[in-house]
Amino acid sequence: MTASPAPQAGSPAAPSAVPLLQGQGLPPFEAISAEQVDQGIPLLLAELHAELDQLEADLSARATTAEPLSWPAVMEPLHHLGERLRWSWGVVSHLNGVCNSPELRDAHQRQQAAVVSFGNRAGQSRPIYGALRQLWQQHQASAEGQPGHLDPTQQRIVQAELRDMEFRGVGLAGAEQQAFNATSQQLAELATTYSNHVLDATNGWTLRLSDPAELAGLPASLRELLGQAAGDGASAEHGPWLMGLDMPRVVPFLKYSARRDLRETVYRAQVARAASGELDNSPLIEQILALKLQQARRLGYANWAEVSLASKMAGSVAEVEQLLEELRAAAYPVAQQELEALRACAARHGAPEAADLKPWDVSFWAEKLRQQSFDLDSEALRPWFPLEQVLQGLFALCQRLFDIRIVASEPGEAPSWHPDVRYFKVLDGASGAPLAAFYLDPFSRPGSKHGGAWMDECLGRSVSRAGEPVLPVAYLICNQSPPVGDTPSLMTFDEVETLFHEFGHGLQHMLTTVERPQAAGINNVEWDAVELPSQFMENWCYDRATLMGMARHWQSGEPLPEAEYQKLLAARTFMGGSATLRQVHFALTDLRLHSVWTPDGGQSPEQLRREIARTTTVLEPIPEDAFLCAFSHIFAGGYSAGYYSYKWAEVLSADAFSAFEEVGLDVEDAVVATGRRFRDTVLALGGSRSPAEIFEAFRGRPPSTEALIRHSGLALAG
Ligand SMILES: [Zn+2]
């Protein structure tokens, strides 16, 4: 048995004259300027390169002796190197996201390449790779309890490090490694070209509208957008208007345009992007797939899907296929019924397309049907969701489920980057002991804060070099409307869900009990399992007691009307069959292109996709539909053979929530006990065990698709 990480001797670092070199504790945000970035990061990298030189020299020298290697000799300096970089560059990236300025953005950009290149150097270091292999071999050669044997957490950490390094080609030699590196380079270039083609094809198509009749059905916001796009001299009112293929214009246009002919024109152009002429992505797709297959074989795998799955929770291609098939089988008949309902709706309106609904009619009639069935106006619900009340509801839920208490800090207790930012402490409910803390930066600040919402690590649970325990601290960033005058920040239901979602990530980061930082919190959690706690928390927004407990009108104190609650429930499953089927179509196409497709198999990627479409679409793709030519997620993003992860994680989170449904959401003792178990497994164990093992420890059995099928409204009676 190896001891837990031995704290290094020495005193805590004195406050540094260069704040970015502080390397521990809460960052002094206000002291970090663009000049500091330009000064501090090169200094830091110089130190880290020197430390890495030293570590490589030590490890190479040891490799020539027969001495066994110890965990602290390898993993501690390695963690220390990574943590110093993460701390410093993490603050810079964080400020770049929440306090952006042209100066800071430039400084970030100036330093980024050097930071990435340090990461590449460490990630491809042969002496480190050799040392990790030796740790692993010593482990394999020793029985439990003997020197050299690793505990399960250590095993997972070493295996993940080895795998990441191997996927960078470090385990290859000579010509094979050269070919691997050349192909990696080529793949990066192809991805860039692919994504440029999509961008150019999207921007290269426009449709000028000058007759107000061509705008029939469009909401004011879209008219305004089209007027702006037409440039100088155009007005939202009098035109001209310019239609384009970007999402902010296409999505509402297909949803609202009453002009079927124009919907068709826009739809046909949209699905044929980057599929012809100079911007044709089809040859690139074949090249990318063929090269990824070669890379996989060089790494010792049968295909790229196996490479992707090697670092995920899903055990095999067959396992993913089975999950997708269960969802497909449930969604298909429901999607057919949904299509019938759209036809019936079109018929009620006397629309000629009722008899022959086309893909460009689907969004339009779905919107009409939605308005008729339940007209949920998300803006109108804001007064029921003032931020303070939502936070109280969220914190009360966490107290109830996980036995933690969340208290606001005194002003000035923690360094901050903006007056709107708040700092909260998380205490253990039973003992009152401090467990963690988090920053909440809730409001949008156009111009200086990136859009969207995210959770990030400020500090991870660990032990300082001086032997002091370090408690985790999270950043929770949202972008909701700020208070105006006497009106508090009033949230949409979507924003409430987003806050719960990010808080779920935060809980996994903060409630970890793992002592080894490499596997604490969200570290070392497989990609397809990392959304489990976040989506799990979203489910509570639909729980009557939780929702009704916090949704009260900020002025009158009235609870949310029952009819509005019912609309929220209805909106959750509206067109659920079609939505699920669409994701299954994408996921299955991605998976099979990276597992069964080969360049000499006699079938083009597009033919393979159309074969899959036979059972995963209820309206056949039209002949010019070249979806693969704009599937940037998998050909230019990081999702190749990983698109299924969206559904995989949803299955886990729905199934986890259903553990509470099973015991009865109103049976307090049982809910509390189940909540504690969730804290002690999913939230506490993080990346220290396989996610399958952790899930089973919580649920008592492997995951099932039943709950997601039911929550998505796909469980047919009978
Ligand atoms: Zn998330």
Side-chain angles (χ1 to χ4, degrees):
M1 292 273 291
T2 312
S4 57
Q8 305 272 323
S11 55
S16 172
V18 183
L20 276 174
L21 297 185
Q22 183 181 311
Q24 58 184 359
L26 295 175
F29 301 103
E30 284 176 1
I32 297 167
S33 60
E35 297 78 55
Q36 293 288 344
V37 174
D38 281 327
Q39 184 201 355
I41 295 297
L43 281 175
L44 174 77
L45 288 175
E47 285 181 21
L48 295 182
H49 275 291
E51 273 184 50
L52 182 56
D53 289 341
Q54 186 61 50
L55 177 64
E56 287 185 325
D58 286 353
L59 293 174
S60 302
R62 281 177 195 238
T64 59
T65 71
E67 293 264 309
L69 263 181
S70 74
W71 177 272
V74 184
M75 298 310 284
E76 282 179 15
L78 203 55
H79 170 66
H80 183 63
L81 272 174
E83 174 55 18
R84 285 186 66 201
L85 183 63
R86 190 207 66 79
W87 190 96
S88 302
W89 191 243
V91 185
V92 177
S93 303
H94 172 69
L95 290 174
N96 195 45
V98 295
C99 286
N100 202 291
S101 67
E103 296 75 31
L104 188 65
R105 187 162 52 228
D106 289 349
H108 181 269
Q109 216 158 23
R110 272 194 296 277
Q111 302 303 328
Q112 190 162 32
V115 171
V116 170
S117 109
F118 176 79
N120 286 339
R121 186 192 154 193
Q124 291 172 325
S125 160
R126 282 200 161 265
I128 293 176
Y129 178 67
L132 288 165
R133 294 236 338 185
Q134 194 183 333
L135 281 183
W136 188 245
Q137 284 156 1
Q138 288 172 192
H139 163 72
Q140 286 185 312
S142 62
E144 206 176 323
Q146 284 185 337
H149 193 84
L150 303 176
D151 68 33
T153 305
Q154 291 174 313
Q155 291 172 36
R156 268 180 59 86
I157 292 168
V158 172
Q159 281 180 303
E161 293 276 356
L162 277 172
R163 192 186 54 224
D164 290 352
M165 294 189 86
E166 278 160 9
F167 287 0
R168 289 166 178 262
V170 77
L172 303 174
E176 197 64 358
Q177 190 177 44
Q178 278 177 4
F180 183 88
N181 290 343
T183 305
S184 294
Q185 182 63 32
Q186 211 183 339
L187 276 168
E189 284 161 15
L190 282 167
T192 305
T193 312
Y194 179 100
S195 118
N196 288 340
H197 283 176
V198 175
L199 198 66
D200 292 349
T202 304
N203 293 335
W205 186 95
T206 53
L207 178 66
R208 203 171 182 79
L209 307 172
S210 44
D211 179 355
E214 293 170 317
L215 272 63
L218 303 188
S221 57
L222 182 57
R223 285 166 189 253
E224 205 153 296
L225 202 58
L226 300 185
Q228 272 171 20
D232 289 346
S235 81
E237 216 179 322
H238 302 108
W241 302 271
L242 198 66
M243 186 52 199
L245 294 182
D246 50 295
M247 287 299 154
R249 282 186 281 178
V250 166
V251 172
F253 192 90
L254 292 177
K255 200 179 203 181
Y256 296 110
S257 172
R259 283 286 297 267
R260 191 181 190 218
D261 57 334
L262 294 178
R263 289 203 309 267
E264 177 174 352
T265 305
V266 169
Y267 182 88
R268 284 185 186 277
Q270 226 266 338
V271 296
R273 277 177 307 155
S276 59
E278 283 183 2
L279 301 178
D280 189 359
N281 269 340
S282 313
L284 271 62
I285 290 170
E286 298 222 13
Q287 259 178 293
I288 291 171
L289 291 173
L291 290 175
K292 283 198 167 154
L293 182 58
Q294 280 178 21
Q295 293 294 74
R297 288 179 177 161
R298 288 189 182 113
L299 294 173
Y301 293 85
N303 53 55
W304 187 258
E306 285 191 3
V307 174
S308 163
L309 295 188
S311 60
K312 299 205 172 64
M313 174 180 174
S316 65
V317 170
E319 220 177 286
V320 180
E321 286 260 358
Q322 190 196 326
L323 177 130
L324 293 174
E325 174 55 23
E326 287 175 26
L327 298 179
R328 191 206 67 79
Y332 194 86
V334 179
Q336 278 180 317
Q337 290 170 2
E338 288 164 356
L339 191 64
E340 278 315 309
L342 297 187
R343 285 197 180 106
C345 179
R348 283 198 298 278
H349 284 80
E353 63 258 38
D356 185 23
L357 218 57
K358 296 288 192 195
W360 46 88
D361 300 319
V362 171
S363 291
F364 179 77
W365 289 108
E367 177 57 20
K368 283 266 182 287
L369 182 62
R370 190 191 66 79
Q371 284 174 12
Q372 283 172 8
S373 325
F374 58 96
D375 196 6
L376 180 69
D377 177 353
S378 54
E379 287 299 309
L381 293 191
R382 282 184 189 268
W384 276 272
F385 297 108
L387 173 64
E388 278 319 302
Q389 232 166 257
V390 172
L391 284 178
Q392 279 171 31
L394 172 61
F395 296 169
L397 176 70
C398 292
Q399 178 158 15
R400 177 180 169 222
L401 296 179
F402 310 129
D403 193 21
I404 55 172
R405 224 151 46 77
I406 297 171
V407 292
S409 72
E410 299 299 324
E413 203 179 317
S416 174
W417 56 91
H418 190 276
D420 290 344
V421 175
R422 296 159 68 184
Y423 186 74
F424 293 89
K425 287 177 285 191
V426 180
L427 312 175
D428 186 66
S431 68
L435 296 173
F438 62 92
Y439 284 100
L440 175 67
D441 184 351
F443 308 133
S444 79
R445 293 189 293 275
S448 68
K449 182 172 165 183
H450 288 177
W454 64 92
M455 190 289 290
D456 203 354
E457 180 176 308
C458 174
L459 298 177
R461 184 184 160 100
S462 60
V463 176
S464 76
R465 292 211 124 186
E468 300 290 328
V470 177
L471 295 182
V473 179
Y475 298 122
L476 293 168
I477 316 294
C478 295
N479 259 292
Q480 64 201 56
S481 337
V484 182
D486 293 337
T487 310
S489 171
L490 301 175
M491 302 168 75
T492 63
F493 184 72
D494 278 355
E495 289 170 346
V496 174
E497 271 190 292
T498 301
L499 177 66
F500 274 60
H501 178 104
E502 299 308 334
F503 207 78
H505 286 307
L507 287 168
Q508 189 173 35
H509 175 63
M510 295 188 285
L511 297 184
T512 189
T513 56
V514 178
E515 296 290 348
R516 298 190 187 281
Q518 300 93 332
I522 59 171
N523 291 320
N524 207 29
V525 176
E526 279 76 351
W527 209 57
D528 47 357
V530 88
E531 296 296 333
L532 162 55
S534 52
Q535 293 175 352
F536 166 81
M537 287 302 289
E538 280 182 47
N539 279 284
W540 290 96
C541 297
Y542 294 92
D543 168 50
R544 178 184 287 275
T546 307
L547 184 73
M548 292 308 203
M550 65 184 175
R552 292 190 176 271
H553 197 281
W554 74 280
Q555 285 164 308
S556 67
E558 260 178 86
L560 185 74
E562 176 66 22
E564 298 299 321
Y565 175 56
Q566 291 305 327
K567 284 186 203 170
L568 287 172
L569 295 181
R572 193 185 187 191
T573 55
F574 182 67
M575 295 292 285
S578 309
T580 300
L581 206 55
R582 185 179 155 83
Q583 289 298 87
V584 169
H585 176 66
F586 296 163
L588 207 54
T589 302
D590 166 42
L591 189 71
R592 293 205 185 144
L593 283 175
H594 291 103
S595 58
V596 301
W597 186 84
T598 58
D600 40 18
Q603 194 183 35
S604 73
E606 181 56 27
Q607 283 167 336
L608 177 67
R609 181 219 167 194
R610 286 191 180 256
E611 187 183 289
I612 294 168
R614 273 187 232 135
T615 53
T616 55
T617 57
V618 286
L619 269 184
E620 200 192 343
I622 60 172
E624 59 265 60
D625 184 330
F627 166 70
L628 290 182
C629 290
F631 197 3
S632 300
H633 264 82
I634 72 164
F635 293 114
Y639 278 82
S640 51
Y643 196 89
Y644 78 89
S645 298
Y646 287 111
K647 280 290 156 199
W648 186 275
E650 274 183 68
V651 165
L652 299 181
S653 53
D655 198 18
F657 185 73
S658 77
F660 292 84
E661 295 176 318
E662 268 169 33
V663 299
L665 286 166
D666 48 4
V667 181
E668 193 57 19
D669 289 357
V671 165
V672 164
T674 311
R676 294 298 185 285
R677 199 166 72 243
F678 191 78
R679 175 181 164 182
D680 293 341
T681 52
V682 176
L683 297 179
L685 299 177
S688 70
R689 296 286 185 281
S690 84
E693 194 182 326
I694 293 174
F695 188 90
E696 279 203 52
F698 168 64
R699 201 66 180 86
R701 56 159 177 73
S704 148
T705 52
E706 184 275 335
L708 181 63
I709 288 171
R710 182 163 47 79
H711 294 165
S712 311
L714 309 180
L716 291 175

